[in-house]
Structures are given as structure tokens and as C-alpha cells.
Amino acid sequence: MPEARPASVDGVSQAEEAPVPLDGVGVGPWEGPWPQDPRYDPELLATGDRRNVVDRYRYWTVEAIVADLDPRRHAFHVAIENWRHDLNIGTVVRTANAFLAAEVHVVGRKRWNRRGAMVTDRYLHVRHHPDAAALGSWAGDAGLPVLAVDNLPGARPLETAELPRACVLLFGQEGTGLSAEARALADDVLSIAQFGSTRSINAGVAAGIAMHAWVRQHAPLP
């Protein structure tokens, strides 16, 4: 491993920072003097960073990235039921990372399929609840309204709803939708407008639409 050499992060020139490209997948070993900032991972500096992270976090440790994200996390939480080891949960987690959700809550089975998350769960806080009642109890203690998202009779259109800044967006299992227990604990039910022949849309897609609706109302744009 190359020896770390003195260089302030802000003082390193753009030329010195230039990494070796890796066919469009991540970056290669750090070129030039190594930064002494403790947020940087010596192993990544030496071997390259092939993770799916924005450029700001290249070569940073996972712990440093999480610490940087935590003060900026948004006030909405995402919860999804996991009764049949739904493959969509990974997609929901990855999207929650992209929109900087406060936490992701997995309701039901503790084990969930992480393949679709593409390790983005490392940069999130994931909490488990054994059932919908436990989620409802947690949300009540936290003072957070639970907004169920499902195309159910009497549901309000998501497109025109004013979303609370602090809330829990709750999604059901692919195919069956929200369980009866989840519907019972919800403070409100929101539906996503559809215009084709299908009765429902993919749970991962629905979660992305709902999170983006919250972002449009509350998140400061970069």
C-alpha cells in the first residue's frame, strides 16, 4: 500500500485528485499525494472505489458517509410490509437512499431480499418491526402520522394531497397490497393515479412515486 503523504483535502489540486477511470465503473487508485482527512479509506485510496456513490463520497469510508448524511436526512420515513420475502424491498431501500429518507422500516419478516438494494442499505438506518401493530406503536410514540399508499376505495389522490413534512409512508406487499392490519393503523390512505388497464403498479415504483411527491413539496433542491 502506498504511504500516506501530507496533503489537505481542500488544498489538493484538481490535477492531483484525478483518479484513474475504470471503464465507467467507479474510479481507480488515488493519484498524487493522499489526503490525510480521516474520512478517506486507505484501502480505497490504494485500490480504487467502485461503489455506487456520488463523486463527493469517492474514497470515503461507509461510516464517514453515513455521518455526513445523518444531519441532512429528510423527515419522512418509509415502511414496507415483508410477509413473502418481497423482491421489491431492495428497490424501495435503494430509492429511500436516493431521496434521503430518515429511516426504512421493514414490517413482518426480519430477513429481506437485499439484492435490489445494491448495498445502499449500508448508508441508511433500517429498523425492523415484527408486525403492523408494532410499527403503529413506534410511529405513535414518535408523533408521526402513517400514510398508507394503496389504490383502495376512499383513498385520496396522492397527486393533490398535502403531505406532512414528518410522516411515515407505508407500502404493502407486491400483489396483495396493504394488509388489513396496516390499513387499520393508517392515519390516511393515498392512491396513485393510473390510466391504463392494469389494476396496480409495482410496489417499488409506487414507493418511488410517493417519495418523490414528498420531495417536491418539502425538500430544498440542490
Side-chain angles (χ1 to χ4, degrees):
M1 179 182 297
E3 180 181 353
R5 286 166 284 181
S8 67
V9 174
D10 294 332
V12 177
S13 71
Q14 190 67 30
E16 290 174 323
E17 284 186 348
V20 178
L22 291 172
D23 298 326
V25 181
V27 291
W30 184 282
E31 297 226 330
W34 278 16
Q36 291 188 315
D37 190 313
R39 293 175 297 185
Y40 285 78
D41 186 325
E43 183 176 351
L44 294 175
L45 290 170
T47 63
D49 188 352
R50 296 162 179 81
R51 300 173 300 174
N52 181 19
V53 296
V54 297
D55 290 343
R56 167 178 170 78
Y57 295 134
R58 286 295 180 202
Y59 305 107
W60 284 28
T61 66
V62 171
E63 295 75 17
I65 294 173
V66 172
D68 191 69
L69 291 173
D70 279 348
R72 302 187 288 108
R73 293 191 190 278
H74 293 140
F76 76 91
H77 294 243
V78 175
I80 183 166
E81 294 188 289
N82 181 35
W83 307 123
R84 294 186 291 108
H85 211 51
D86 193 344
L87 298 175
N88 289 286
I89 294 180
T91 301
V92 173
V93 170
R94 184 177 180 182
T95 308
N97 173 289
F99 290 130
L100 202 58
E103 286 186 348
V104 172
H105 302 256
V106 177
V107 181
R109 293 184 178 183
K110 188 171 186 178
R111 294 185 63 184
W112 53 277
N113 193 308
R114 286 172 163 77
R115 186 172 182 179
M118 298 184 68
V119 305
T120 55
D121 55 301
R122 296 180 183 178
Y123 310 100
L124 275 168
H125 300 290
V126 180
R127 187 188 298 261
H128 173 253
H129 304 274
D131 50 38
L135 171 68
S137 177
W138 176 89
D141 291 343
L144 297 172
V146 177
L147 309 181
V149 180
D150 202 349
N151 286 4
L152 297 171
R156 296 194 302 127
L158 172 67
E159 293 75 19
T160 57
E162 291 188 14
L163 303 179
R165 184 175 181 278
C167 62
V168 179
L169 300 173
L170 172 61
F171 305 92
Q173 193 78 61
E174 178 71 17
T176 57
L178 289 164
S179 67
E181 294 76 15
R183 293 195 296 270
L185 71 86
D187 297 285
D188 201 356
V189 181
L190 304 172
S191 62
I192 297 173
Q194 297 176 204
F195 303 90
S197 62
T198 185
R199 294 184 60 220
S200 63
I201 57 177
N202 177 275
V205 172
I209 292 171
M211 285 185 245
H212 192 255
W214 185 98
V215 165
R216 290 188 63 180
Q217 293 185 27
H218 297 291
L221 297 180

